[in-house]
Amino acid sequence: MLALLLLSLATPPASVADPLPATGQKPLPINLPSALALAGSTPLDIAVATRRTQAAAAEWDKARALWLPTLHLGGDYFRHDGQLQDIVGTVFTTSRSALMGGVGPSAVFALSDALYAPQATRQELEARRADEQTTRNDVTLSVAQAYFDVQRARGEVAGALEATLRAEDLLARTEKLAPGLVPTLEVHRVRNERNRRRLAVESAYETWQTRSAELARLLRLPATSLVVPTEPPQLSLTLVDPQTPLDALVETGLLHRPELASHRAVVEAAIVRTRQEKMRPLLPSVALRGVGTNPAGTLSTGVFGGGINSRVGDFSMRNSLDVQVTWDLQNLGFGNRALIRRRAAEQEIAHLRLAYVQDQVAAEVVQARARAERAEARKGLAEEALRDAQKTLSASLEGMSQTKRVGDSILLVVRPQEVVAAVTALDQGYRDYYAAVADANRAQFALYRALGQPAEQLLALVPCERPATVRTMPTP
């Protein structure tokens, strides 16, 4: 059994306050369990897949009812005026009327259809159910990735704000230094860096808003709201045990991916369809009709009366049925042979598609595992780089308050332009760190989905606080 781990919260490299929305949009707090719960209920893609399953179930019910006749209930009025020919060939003129009320059965089907169609449509129903599960897994993955995109954008806002505060502090320190220690050019350079950090904050907020709109679209949340995750941006999780051998992961994917279950059901349906066509010329067709009305109609049993001209009388019970059992050779058998060849070709195509998807699943598992491993490694490197950037900036700011004598000149130990470089490195460090955290989380969900694990189990694997009540758009 594949080992599944729980969510964990990584310790941030530094204390960075969660940013608040700086726009006119109304904040919409949401946590990861809430997003995953909504991913299984509100998206329109899942609604469409569910309706397709219901349609397939209706086809299965219809196929199982092929044995049952259709009942016609009603009345029939017949009127003839003019020439008529009797059974011996004599032509004569007459006027007559007839009236009948009652019921009549009607059933025309081939035994091969009645025997094999329910089996084939049952397999097609299983395929639609597997497709529905595939859609649920795909939608959950899309929602998780969009959620972590929002988390990354929010983290980048926090990092950009922190870098801006540091740039503001640097500018204030630089302006207080004596003109002999810091040329005017240095002040302008620091002010320019402060302005660049402010621009970065605006860009980060823009990214947050656009990522929020995408998540709101997937979850059908109010489009005008700004999604604000309740977890901190450095949220980190592990869903799949990293110690699981790759061969075991590939085997799990081949066993549990719903896409493969769907294609296996399609193969079984194709096999049944081929057998159905092979048995068609060997099994008879049945035709049951009511012929109690004039001419041969649909009613068989009821009250019948008639007379000359418009007179209708002499009513009494009448029952007229026609039952046929025939063996049909379509186009002298050549049509049946062509249908068998067609079904056999469709069966082979289904086998080939199953093999194609098996290869695709194996490749996706290997790729997802590689992304998860490398993303986790990048996260560790990015965290280390960010800590170094923070230490470098702190040391650089401290060095600006120290001087040294070189000959007759007094110089700063650390010049402002060096601190500017440290501020830039800090901003990039925050970007790299939150990007690495988001990539690692997305990779975990992608690996979970590649293994074919049910999306519905994710709520049990993500033990955050109780999901918030989130109001969504109504489903049409």
Side-chain angles (χ1 to χ4, degrees):
M1 183 65 181
L2 183 66
L4 297 175
L5 304 182
L6 299 180
L7 174 144
S8 62
L9 188 61
T11 303
S15 178
V16 180
D18 289 343
L20 297 177
T23 68
Q25 290 180 281
K26 181 180 179 181
L28 179 61
I30 188 174
N31 54 25
L32 183 57
S34 298
L36 296 179
L38 292 174
S41 59
T42 57
L44 297 180
D45 290 342
I46 293 179
V48 172
T50 301
R51 301 306 183 271
R52 288 174 177 168
T53 301
Q54 294 173 353
E59 289 295 326
W60 181 43
D61 291 339
K62 179 181 178 181
R64 289 188 298 171
L66 282 176
W67 296 90
L68 303 177
T70 299
L71 289 180
H72 304 280
L73 175 65
D76 176 85
Y77 175 76
F78 175 79
R79 173 70 187 230
H80 172 79
D81 295 290
Q83 297 290 85
L84 194 64
Q85 187 176 30
D86 62 15
I87 191 170
V88 298
T90 304
V91 177
F92 57 95
T93 301
T94 186
S95 295
R96 61 189 178 118
S97 302
L99 179 64
M100 181 176 180
V103 297
S106 175
V108 180
F109 61 91
L111 284 180
S112 58
D113 294 338
L115 290 173
Y116 293 105
Q119 301 177 35
T121 53
R122 175 57 188 270
Q123 294 299 326
E124 292 167 355
L125 173 59
E126 293 299 323
R128 297 291 80 76
R129 286 173 176 169
D131 291 341
E132 181 180 348
Q133 184 61 53
T134 299
T135 301
R136 291 183 180 276
N137 292 354
D138 291 344
V139 168
T140 300
L141 174 61
S142 298
V143 168
Q145 291 179 337
Y147 187 86
F148 292 121
D149 284 341
V150 174
Q151 283 284 54
R152 173 183 175 179
R154 195 165 62 109
E156 290 179 351
V157 170
L161 289 173
E162 177 68 16
T164 301
L165 290 176
R166 295 302 186 96
E168 296 279 4
D169 182 32
L170 173 59
L171 179 59
R173 292 181 184 221
T174 304
E175 291 176 340
K176 290 180 181 179
L177 293 174
L181 291 176
V182 179
T184 305
L185 177 62
E186 293 283 353
V187 178
H188 293 328
R189 180 182 288 117
V190 174
R191 184 175 291 110
N192 180 60
E193 178 64 19
R194 189 274 312 271
N195 294 335
R196 290 182 59 205
R197 294 305 108 222
R198 288 180 175 179
L199 289 174
V201 170
E202 293 301 321
S203 297
Y205 270 116
E206 176 187 347
T207 303
W208 185 1
Q209 290 177 269
T210 56
R211 299 297 186 221
S212 171
E214 176 63 15
L215 180 59
R217 181 191 69 83
L218 291 174
L219 296 180
R220 308 199 69 241
L221 301 173
T224 57
S225 299
L226 182 67
V227 177
V228 181
T230 59
E231 303 94 349
Q234 67 272 12
L235 174 72
S236 181
L237 57 83
T238 302
L239 293 176
V240 181
D241 188 349
Q243 302 301 322
T244 306
L246 182 58
D247 290 340
L249 293 178
V250 173
E251 181 180 357
T252 300
L254 294 176
L255 287 175
H256 296 286
R257 280 288 286 271
E259 297 95 321
L260 290 175
S262 174
H263 280 79
R264 292 189 191 105
V266 171
V267 169
E268 293 298 326
I271 293 174
V272 174
R273 296 292 188 187
T274 303
R275 189 180 302 122
Q276 176 182 352
E277 295 305 328
K278 289 181 178 179
M279 297 300 297
R280 187 178 298 278
L282 303 178
L283 297 176
S285 297
V286 178
L288 171 66
R289 304 182 186 90
V291 291
T293 55
N294 294 308
T298 55
L299 301 181
S300 64
T301 305
V303 179
F304 179 85
I308 298 175
N309 294 325
S310 60
R311 177 183 176 276
V312 177
D314 301 325
F315 285 96
S316 184
M317 293 298 299
R318 177 175 180 174
N319 183 54
S320 301
L321 283 173
D322 176 56
V323 180
Q324 294 182 356
V325 179
T326 60
W327 281 259
D328 303 323
L329 289 177
Q330 298 182 13
N331 308 113
L332 297 180
F334 290 101
N336 296 102
R337 181 181 177 184
L339 287 175
I340 293 173
R341 291 168 55 194
R342 174 187 172 184
R343 294 300 187 186
E346 293 174 351
Q347 177 181 332
E348 186 63 25
I349 291 173
H351 276 290
L352 294 174
R353 287 177 175 171
L354 174 59
Y356 176 85
V357 175
Q358 286 176 335
D359 295 341
Q360 187 179 31
V361 167
E364 288 180 0
V365 172
V366 174
Q367 293 168 351
R369 170 64 176 273
R371 293 191 183 99
E373 288 181 343
R374 299 309 168 192
E376 190 66 27
R378 290 197 304 273
K379 184 175 69 174
L381 295 174
E383 181 175 346
E384 181 180 355
L386 178 56
R387 293 187 189 277
D388 289 340
Q390 292 169 341
K391 293 177 181 178
T392 300
L393 179 58
S394 298
S396 299
L397 288 173
E398 183 179 352
M400 275 188 60
S401 62
Q402 302 172 1
T403 60
K404 61 182 178 179
R405 180 177 293 276
V406 179
D408 295 333
S409 302
I410 299 178
L411 303 177
L412 292 174
V413 173
V414 177
R415 297 176 60 186
Q417 64 181 11
E418 299 175 81
V419 187
V420 167
V423 172
T424 303
L426 178 67
D427 179 76
Q428 188 61 48
Y430 278 122
R431 293 175 185 272
D432 293 341
Y433 173 70
Y434 288 115
V437 170
D439 287 345
N441 290 336
R442 284 195 296 261
Q444 282 292 320
F445 271 87
L447 179 57
Y448 184 88
R449 181 261 180 194
L451 296 176
Q453 303 299 326
E456 295 82 354
Q457 293 184 2
L458 280 172
L459 284 177
L461 298 174
V462 184
C464 294
E465 64 269 20
R466 184 176 181 180
T469 300
V470 182
R471 187 174 183 179
T472 62
M473 302 292 287
T475 300

